[in-house]
Amino acid sequence: MNGMKSSAIRELLKLTERPEIISFAGGLPAPELFPIDAMMRVSADVLENDGKAALQYTTTEGFLPLRRFIANRMKVQHVETCEQEILITSGSQQGLDFAGRVFLDEGDVVVCERPSYLGAINAFRAYQCQFKDVPMDDDGMRMDLLEETLKTTERVKFIYAIPDFQNPTGRTMSVERRRTLVELARKYNVLILEDNPYGELRFEGEILPAIKHFDTEGRVIYLGTMSKTFCPGLRIGWVSASPDVVNRFTIAKQGADLQSSTIAQRQAAKFVENYNLDDHVQRIISVYRKRRDLMLSGMEKEFPKGIEFTRPQGGLFTWVTLPRGFNAEKILERALEQKVAFVPGASFFACGGNENTFRMNYSNMSEERIVEGVKRLGHVLRTL
Ligand SMILES: Cc1ncc(COP(=O)(O)O)c(C=O)c1O
């Protein structure tokens, strides 16, 4: 525990929970899109028709019809798999923890993107690993620099990547780089941990093939979740991997919590049986696309020159880079005085630095609040 810090995002979220704050800090979905009426019917149906089973223990691997649905759904990401290769987890966050538990010994190295998802960095850090982070450009992790790292670093266990609309940058790894990534992993004999909560939330163009699509030898462990395409409260995530890896993760899960909630799994399975998940995802996309457009056009108008930001084609976040020498944490203090919040970027860097960056979320605030919040933030930045 000595090496671990409390997550900066969690601490911040406490601050930004106050209703008067326009918060671009969290990564929460829009709650008004949760299918509450449908879930009331689904929950009643589950309890009326399968009540005893729904309140009973289930298998560690998870509720079979849900595993089957997920295995089939992976086709959207161009991945062919079957239910034996799916383990239900309590959110993909649990899959991150299990990856650490199964693969990392003290001193092992995790290669990740620079920057990367703070929740993953913290999950791995608990297993006393070290990090090597690889710079990104607009096409994701730089493969030339990745190869350099793999060539010169011993004890690399896996490469952790978030290929679509990455948290925190909103960037997407190009298809070409996905292919190269798998080739490099083979060449240097390491695994890939692909974490993809956002791939289906694509506002323009076609959904890209997952990194796992290019894997022919069970080298890629894919983590999925219903948190962003359905709702995070049910805590339904999954691991899609070779039967051998799924078996190891299942043993890890037996030690952690025996199984994910039986009733939540049955509710999710019943929802996707009775309702069309694609229609639901399309509704989310059309709302988030509008919010992204408003945020980006607001930032173009209100932010002073010299500030850069990404233009994500999906997902929940854009990433802002200030000129060198600016400190986003200090700016946050000023922004909070104007009742607007974001997440300073430094904590997303496994190897430190980069205080001149911050992350903005556009999924959770209404259109009016996005316009107003960006205006206030622009004012703070211009003043500075
Ligand atoms: C990249 C990434 N991975 C994993 C998670 C964890 O999500 P969950 O445990 O709700 O599936 C998140 C949540 O924001 C995330 O952004």
Side-chain angles (χ1 to χ4, degrees):
M1 289 308 294
N2 289 339
M4 297 184 67
K5 291 179 282 189
S6 143
S7 142
I9 293 183
R10 291 278 163 271
E11 294 302 316
L12 258 166
L13 272 178
K14 280 185 212 156
L15 247 181
T16 58
E17 263 166 22
R18 285 183 276 152
E20 72 272 19
I21 302 273
I22 299 179
S23 178
F24 305 127
L28 305 184
E32 60 276 21
L33 293 170
F34 294 153
I36 294 177
D37 289 339
M39 281 306 285
M40 280 164 67
R41 285 190 284 275
V42 159
S43 305
D45 186 345
V46 164
L47 284 169
E48 263 167 42
N49 297 313
D50 309 302
K52 286 183 181 152
L55 296 175
Q56 187 56 280
Y57 285 112
T58 185
T59 57
T60 304
E61 289 83 351
F63 184 49
L64 195 58
L66 183 63
R67 291 166 68 206
R68 216 170 266 149
F69 170 83
I70 286 168
N72 193 45
R73 183 94 192 160
M74 293 284 295
K75 288 200 178 89
V76 175
Q77 319 263 0
H78 305 247
V79 175
E80 290 295 329
T81 183
C82 58
E83 64 262 28
Q84 287 80 14
E85 296 181 352
I86 305 285
L87 164 72
I88 304 290
T89 53
S90 299
S92 49
Q93 188 65 39
Q94 190 176 46
L96 293 168
D97 179 44
F98 290 169
R101 201 176 295 201
V102 169
F103 294 117
L104 296 177
D105 296 317
E106 187 177 344
D108 281 345
V109 175
V110 172
V111 174
C112 65
E113 290 151 337
R114 179 192 303 171
S116 185
Y117 169 53
L118 175 61
I121 296 171
N122 283 342
F124 303 148
R125 198 167 265 149
Y127 299 96
Q128 299 183 290
C129 65
Q130 300 178 49
F131 293 95
K132 288 275 176 174
D133 57 358
V134 178
M136 308 171 79
D137 60 21
D138 282 339
D139 286 331
M141 191 188 263
R142 289 258 313 264
M143 290 300 131
D144 52 337
L145 300 176
L146 171 66
E147 176 146 31
E148 211 40 57
T149 301
L150 293 175
K151 213 185 275 178
T152 53
T153 313
E154 283 176 23
R155 295 191 61 182
V156 175
K157 277 288 172 71
F158 58 78
I159 304 162
Y160 170 64
I162 308 156
D164 289 295
F165 323 120
Q166 192 231 23
N167 182 1
T169 64
R171 289 180 183 132
T172 293
M173 187 186 288
S174 69
V175 174
E176 209 34 59
R177 285 197 193 170
R178 293 172 197 227
R179 189 177 288 123
T180 309
L181 177 59
V182 174
E183 281 165 14
L184 287 176
R186 178 182 305 146
K187 184 168 167 190
Y188 292 93
N189 194 25
V190 297
L191 298 167
I192 296 170
L193 185 62
E194 175 177 23
D195 184 14
N196 196 349
Y198 306 109
E200 285 198 40
L201 299 184
R202 174 170 272 284
F203 310 153
E204 289 113 15
E206 300 286 313
I207 292 179
L208 300 185
I211 299 167
K212 189 159 179 55
H213 168 78
F214 299 100
D215 175 29
T216 52
E217 34 173 37
R219 206 172 270 287
V220 180
I221 298 145
Y222 178 102
L223 304 181
T225 178
M226 294 182 109
S227 288
K228 304 302 186 319
T229 51
F230 182 32
C231 49
L234 288 182
R235 308 305 302 130
I236 303 286
W238 67 91
V239 178
S240 165
S242 66
D244 185 32
V245 170
V246 164
N247 187 33
R248 309 293 167 110
F249 275 56
T250 304
I251 294 166
K253 190 164 174 66
Q254 279 161 357
D257 60 356
L258 293 180
Q259 56 157 105
S260 293
S261 157
T262 317
I263 190 163
Q265 292 185 63
R266 282 178 175 261
Q267 285 166 326
K270 190 65 87 180
F271 178 85
V272 296
E273 184 188 326
N274 292 358
Y275 297 89
N276 189 326
L277 185 61
D278 287 325
D279 291 349
H280 183 65
V281 170
Q282 284 310 316
R283 269 195 294 282
I284 297 174
I285 286 175
S286 62
V287 171
Y288 289 5
R289 185 196 288 124
K290 187 83 193 293
R291 291 181 184 186
R292 176 211 51 186
D293 290 345
L294 279 172
M295 180 166 278
L296 294 185
S297 60
M299 284 162 56
E300 249 153 45
K301 207 164 91 202
E302 306 287 345
F303 283 16
K305 293 270 167 299
I307 294 182
E308 288 169 15
F309 47 89
T310 57
R311 289 173 170 70
Q313 294 188 312
L316 273 58
F317 308 107
T318 171
W319 178 250
V320 181
T321 307
L322 304 160
R324 266 179 213 287
F326 281 87
N327 183 319
E329 253 173 65
K330 293 245 160 56
I331 296 174
L332 176 62
E333 286 166 21
R334 300 287 284 273
L336 281 169
E337 289 165 13
Q338 305 301 316
K339 307 215 169 351
V340 50
F342 52 78
V343 185
S347 50
F348 296 100
F349 290 86
C351 305
N354 301 276
E355 286 79 10
N356 61 323
T357 56
F358 62 90
R359 190 190 73 179
M360 296 273 280
N361 164 268
Y362 47 76
S363 60
N364 187 245
M365 288 285 120
S366 67
E367 294 178 10
E368 298 73 36
R369 298 192 101 196
I370 289 177
V371 172
E372 176 58 28
V374 171
K375 199 181 281 177
R376 287 186 205 172
L377 197 52
H379 176 73
V380 170
L381 291 169
R382 283 197 306 275
T383 314
L384 288 165

